[in-house]
Amino acid sequence: MGTWARVGVLGTLAFCVHQKRVALAELRRDKTQYIGDHHQLELKLVQVIFRHGARTPLRPIPKPEQVEWHPTLLEVPAQTQFDYTVTDLSGGPKPHSPYEDQYKKTTLKGGVTAGQLTTVGMQQMFELGERLRRSYMEKISFLSPVFKPSEVFIRSTNIVRNLESTRCLLAGLFQQHKEGPITIVTDEASTEILYPNYQNCQRLKHLSRGKMESVLLQPGISDDLKMIREEMGIDSEKSVDFFLLLDNIFAEQVHDLPSCPVLKNFLKTIERRSIDSMIYILEHNSREVLQMCVGPLLYAVHENIMKAMDPSSATKARKLILYAAHDITLIPLLIALGTFDHKWPPYAADVTVELYQHRQSKEWFVHLSYHGEL
């Protein structure tokens, strides 16, 4: 998927998500107008919002037969090593992470904890970095071949798998070469903008109250879940939803681990009902809910574009901005942009926003792509 637009259209999306249909119609008209003259466009800024690499499940499915997650699945490939430091948004100490506290409470069969980046996930992120290297160093000489702090800004959620995913991406992008320290900034969980923040936004919390419970009662969703639970022999009192089933089957399959035959047989149903559940929680793509879920992130993306267009900006030298996020970030983001394909974002999926200026007309344009598809 690739979409072109004048900068003003992205601004419309950032501030008024409800106007996306009008905006997308303009995108298509713009594409036919100038895409044939692509060589006249000069790249000025790249922003990448990506999901972390493959990980261990967030919690196991409550059934007698458990998949074994051995510590060898977490070994760090040598080529992904790259030193970095983590600070808060002001350059102070790394904030405390309540999510990591929660993950440490769950030990999976085999001895590893929940939600940890695996060797497979590290390699996925390294390969994403290599893809960005081919796009912005080899095909065009946009980024420096070594990491330079003045050119790259990096923000991540304060979760270890995201920080480590970012490390692997940078190692693949810069092939472990740097001039100056790598700093990843992060925020307190309560004010984070890289995922829908139910702690900070009281209105979002109010609108979503009860949604996680009531979604299990929706026609179709409840019937399919009951059938799969019975096929797997899961007690009706155990807490199970389609998000849990999808999380486990995706994690098991990407690591070539033996999955429950029922999960494999119902994979398409599980993914479809997970998407249905997410859309229900998002109030069927309600304008207000989408604005609260990803509006702050879209605003940040828009502000970065405005600064790049300003010749007096102090961040003019910045060429690449990385945001390490999650699947629950990408789904509402893609819906808000009108480009959601009704498939769950895979590990290491990315939304890339490129800013261009036409060499002759001096007009500014953005190009959006998802998961490297142009």
Side-chain angles (χ1 to χ4, degrees):
M1 177 275 294
T3 306
W4 286 89
R6 289 188 176 86
V7 166
V9 175
L10 186 66
T12 299
L13 289 170
F15 293 108
C16 308
V17 169
H18 65 286
Q19 295 183 2
K20 64 177 179 291
R21 291 188 181 89
V22 175
L24 288 172
E26 185 173 343
L27 302 187
R28 296 186 184 98
R29 289 196 300 271
D30 285 346
K31 180 179 178 181
T32 58
Q33 175 181 337
Y34 67 82
I35 191 65
D37 200 22
H38 188 274
H39 68 280
Q40 288 293 331
L41 297 176
E42 181 181 1
L43 184 60
K44 295 292 188 178
L45 177 67
V46 177
Q47 300 184 74
V48 185
I49 305 154
F50 58 89
R51 186 188 181 192
H52 54 77
R55 54 160 170 74
T56 58
L58 298 181
R59 66 184 179 95
I61 298 173
K63 59 186 180 67
E65 306 82 17
Q66 294 290 329
V67 172
E68 184 170 348
W69 292 88
H70 196 272
T72 56
L73 293 170
L74 308 184
E75 293 177 352
V76 179
Q79 72 270 22
T80 69
Q81 295 281 15
F82 215 19
D83 293 337
Y84 67 92
T85 58
V86 182
T87 72
D88 65 13
L89 299 182
S90 302
K94 175 180 177 292
H96 173 71
S97 176
Y99 289 104
E100 287 302 320
D101 291 342
Q102 196 65 35
Y103 297 141
K104 290 174 183 177
K105 296 178 181 179
T106 302
T107 301
L108 305 174
K109 181 181 179 181
V112 305
T113 55
Q116 302 305 298
L117 187 69
T118 62
T119 306
V120 171
M122 296 176 203
Q123 187 60 39
Q124 288 176 327
M125 297 309 302
F126 185 83
E127 291 171 1
L128 174 56
E130 287 186 312
R131 196 192 84 208
L132 297 176
R133 181 180 181 86
R134 289 192 296 272
S135 297
Y136 304 117
M137 292 183 198
E138 297 174 5
K139 291 182 180 179
I140 59 171
S141 298
F142 178 65
L143 294 175
S144 300
V146 298
F147 176 87
K148 294 182 178 180
S150 62
E151 286 189 358
V152 186
F153 174 80
I154 313 157
R155 177 168 176 173
S156 170
T157 57
N158 191 18
I159 296 175
V160 172
R161 65 176 175 271
N162 278 49
L163 296 169
E164 292 290 273
S165 289
T166 306
R167 166 182 62 80
C168 298
L169 183 156
L170 292 169
L173 175 57
F174 295 105
Q175 299 295 292
Q176 299 174 306
H177 298 301
K178 62 179 180 176
E179 293 180 2
I182 296 175
T183 301
I184 303 174
V185 302
T186 190
D187 198 4
E188 299 281 355
S190 60
T191 50
E192 183 59 79
I193 67 169
L194 295 184
Y195 48 66
N197 199 321
Y198 295 91
Q199 294 185 54
N200 186 50
C201 183
Q202 295 303 311
R203 178 61 177 163
L204 181 60
K205 181 187 294 186
H206 172 74
L207 291 175
S208 303
R209 185 175 295 129
K211 284 285 185 178
M212 289 298 294
E213 291 77 20
S214 61
V215 67
L216 300 179
L217 304 177
Q218 300 307 301
I221 293 176
S222 61
D223 298 333
D224 284 343
L225 184 60
K226 179 181 178 182
M227 175 184 62
I228 293 172
R229 290 178 68 121
E230 290 176 351
E231 289 282 340
M232 295 181 68
I234 300 176
D235 193 302
S236 60
E237 296 180 357
K238 300 291 186 180
S239 175
V240 172
D241 57 33
F242 279 110
F243 299 135
L244 175 65
L245 299 177
L246 187 70
D247 185 51
N248 277 264
I249 184 66
F250 273 6
E252 291 163 7
Q253 288 197 341
V254 78
H255 294 98
D256 293 323
L257 295 175
S259 296
C260 170
V262 176
L263 286 180
K264 291 193 288 188
N265 292 339
F266 286 97
L267 176 57
K268 290 184 179 179
T269 299
I270 292 170
E271 181 175 9
R272 184 177 74 252
R273 290 309 187 187
S274 295
I275 294 294
D276 292 343
S277 299
M278 179 63 76
I279 289 175
Y280 175 82
I281 292 169
L282 293 173
E283 300 239 343
H284 298 282
N285 309 341
S286 134
R287 175 180 75 238
E288 184 180 12
V289 172
L290 288 176
Q291 285 176 324
M292 290 183 290
C293 285
V294 292
L297 174 57
L298 276 170
Y299 180 84
V301 170
H302 180 264
E303 284 296 289
N304 295 334
I305 288 174
M306 293 298 103
K307 290 176 182 177
M309 293 169 57
D310 181 359
S312 63
S313 173
T315 60
K316 192 69 176 176
R318 187 170 291 163
K319 294 183 176 182
L320 176 66
I321 297 175
L322 298 173
Y323 292 113
H326 302 266
D327 49 1
I328 60 170
T329 313
L330 294 187
I331 290 176
L333 178 64
L334 291 167
I335 292 173
L337 294 172
T339 54
F340 185 49
D341 59 5
H342 286 265
K343 296 179 181 178
W344 201 269
Y347 299 119
D350 68 286
V351 174
T352 297
V353 182
E354 299 171 332
L355 174 66
Y356 291 87
Q357 185 175 30
H358 197 282
R359 289 185 172 88
Q360 293 182 346
S361 70
K362 302 304 179 183
E363 282 188 286
W364 293 87
F365 302 95
V366 292
H367 181 242
L368 307 178
S369 62
Y370 174 53
H371 206 38
E373 296 180 7
L374 303 176

